[in-house]
Amino acid sequence: MLSEIEPNANEPTDLTIARKVWITSSELLSEIVDLLPSNKGRLSLVTSLIKAYGLDSKCEDIIGVGRVRRHDLESFHGKQFLSILLKNRPSIDVDHVELEKIRETLQIREYKDIPKTPGTAPKEHIDIIKLGDELGDKYNKNQINDISDSDLELSEINDEIILVEHKEQEEDNTELENFGLTHDCYIFPFMAEYVNLVAASSIHSASRLTKERKESVQNVVINWYGGRHHCKKNKAAGFCYINDIVLSINILRRNYRRIFYLDLDLHHGDGVESAFEFSKNVMTCSIHRYDIGFYPGTGSLSSTQKTKVNIPVMRGLSDGSMLRIVKDIVLPLIMNFGPDALVIQAGCDGLSTDEHKEWNMTIKGYGKVLRLLLNSVANTPVMILGGGGYNHSETAKCWTYLTSIALRLEKLSDEWDLIPDHKYLDAYQNCGFQFWTNENLNSTKLMKDENDNEYVAKIKAYILDKCI
């Protein structure tokens, strides 16, 4: 079993290169993204906790997120898939009086919060998550059987009450199945808006990175809204309705010739890998749990090629194991490839506190990995994206901590104690409103780390021989 590696052991510590950090942050955008069935309410926890610690005010600026054109989505996704994905569904995006707030939110052209002083009193807000659940369940169980072919609804435009005729045909379930819009990626309220804005968040983040090009500064953009790595060109999958990562990498390629993509999610980044499988200038590398029956079932060691690297790991991956893999395998790959930009998908469903219970990773373990990566590529621009994470309060803590790492404020964040008062403070009641707990500071050790020295050495030898 691998011994734990000290936080700063053998890590580059040269701080002569200045670092500037930008972040996407919008409470209203978070409420829209919160509607995603697999992660209901998660982004509001993330955004609000980052703001509660005032980290957004430490960034250079907030990246504004505005809707993108369908043409921008077609840089990767197929037209027919997008037609079904972005279809107007008035029977579920219903003009319900309780959805007035989110309807107003959808009128915003650019989502961008102005950093506020931590501790600002919260405002009242409706539970759109609960309402979205009710509407989604009704729609997916009954389609539109309870709605006539022509529904007359009242809509208020320019202070005048007018009749609006909504016509909607029952959807072809076979078509939905073909495009992956059933089962884990079923239809939900305002799905079209969610898809556009998640894609837009990563596209705008990538665009920001292309505008900031100074060799004496390391530019970092953070977008926790993004990181949906399973969606294929013409099929939604694994809770991913759009592949914002591929779309953002396509933006980066306009200004940066060589891109290195690193996926830290518990699950294999199959969607991104397949998109760039035959590209010589985009190298994909995924560290993931791999086993028979474990989703998505791809990413074996033998599938590794010159610019497509898969690092399959077994149960119980610990902080030390992960850090050694990154140090001994990933960093040599990065240095050999010589990327002009680095994209990191920082899914944290490998936390020991996550409901998957597959890895023994801790929040600080992910922090060590991010710090090592950023310090090792100090002259390279970096984009950091979200991903998996199903214990939402712990995911919010993890991404808040990683934000502090990017800002070089880890000494401060290591001392965080009681979580500051903010709108979503009640979400942390079960952990006594503490940021650091025994559970997230120390691996639960419920699982043996099966990734011993021999196994890691075997992977290292195979991959480096294949790719370097």
Side-chain angles (χ1 to χ4, degrees), residues 236-385:
F239 310 140
C240 302
Y241 294 74
I242 193 80
N243 201 312
D244 63 283
I245 304 174
V246 174
L247 295 171
S248 60
I249 290 177
N250 284 341
I251 295 294
L252 292 177
R253 295 178 75 188
R254 298 175 185 176
N255 292 78
Y256 302 109
R257 182 170 176 268
R258 296 168 75 82
I259 313 294
F260 191 100
Y261 170 73
L262 175 61
D263 196 310
L264 300 175
D265 198 276
L266 176 68
H267 303 88
H268 178 227
D270 56 337
V272 182
E273 177 184 278
S274 63
F276 298 110
E277 185 171 6
F278 303 107
S279 173
K280 295 180 180 180
N281 292 318
V282 177
M283 187 170 191
T284 61
C285 178
S286 177
I287 305 171
H288 53 269
R289 175 79 169 93
Y290 179 77
D291 202 356
I292 296 174
F294 190 78
Y295 187 86
T298 54
S300 65
L301 180 62
S302 60
S303 66
T304 292
Q305 299 174 8
K306 192 69 175 177
T307 58
K308 183 185 78 172
V309 178
N310 283 310
I311 306 177
V313 300
M314 297 188 284
R315 296 185 79 240
L317 184 75
S318 64
D319 294 352
S321 301
M322 173 68 92
L323 193 61
R324 182 159 302 184
I325 288 171
V326 172
K327 177 186 173 185
D328 293 349
I329 303 176
V330 176
L331 284 181
L333 292 173
I334 293 175
M335 300 310 168
N336 181 70
F337 186 67
D340 300 304
L342 173 64
V343 178
I344 302 172
Q345 196 266 25
C348 58
D349 39 4
L351 287 171
S352 63
T353 53
D354 193 84
E355 63 183 39
H356 279 88
K357 301 296 181 183
E358 289 285 343
W359 287 352
N360 281 326
M361 291 290 296
T362 68
I363 292 174
K364 289 195 174 183
Y366 276 109
K368 295 173 190 177
V369 169
L370 182 62
R371 180 171 54 236
L372 174 62
L373 288 165
L374 292 177
N375 289 344
S376 298
V377 296
N379 292 310
T380 304
V382 180
M383 179 162 66
I384 304 170
L385 302 171

Side-chain angles (χ1 to χ4, degrees), residues 41 80 90 94 118 135 219 262 301 323 339 347 389 393-394 399-400 422 451 460 463:
Q80 190 175 1
V94 61
L135 294 174
N219 295 303
L262 175 61
L301 180 62
L323 193 61
S393 59
E394 290 300 305
W399 288 347
T400 299
H422 65 288
N451 304 277
K460 175 183 176 181
I463 290 175

Side-chain angles (χ1 to χ4, degrees), residues 13 31 40 68 139 194 202 216 218 221 246 286 292 296 317-318 337 372 377 390 392 397 409 411 415 444 452 464 467:
T13 56
E31 290 188 352
K40 298 183 183 74
V68 293
Y139 182 85
Y194 163 85
S202 291
S216 59
Q218 182 184 41
V221 297
V246 174
S286 177
I292 296 174
L317 184 75
S318 64
F337 186 67
L372 174 62
V377 296
Y390 303 92
H392 292 174
K397 290 181 182 180
L409 298 174
K411 289 185 179 179
E415 301 301 322
T444 59
D452 57 22
L464 298 187
C467 302

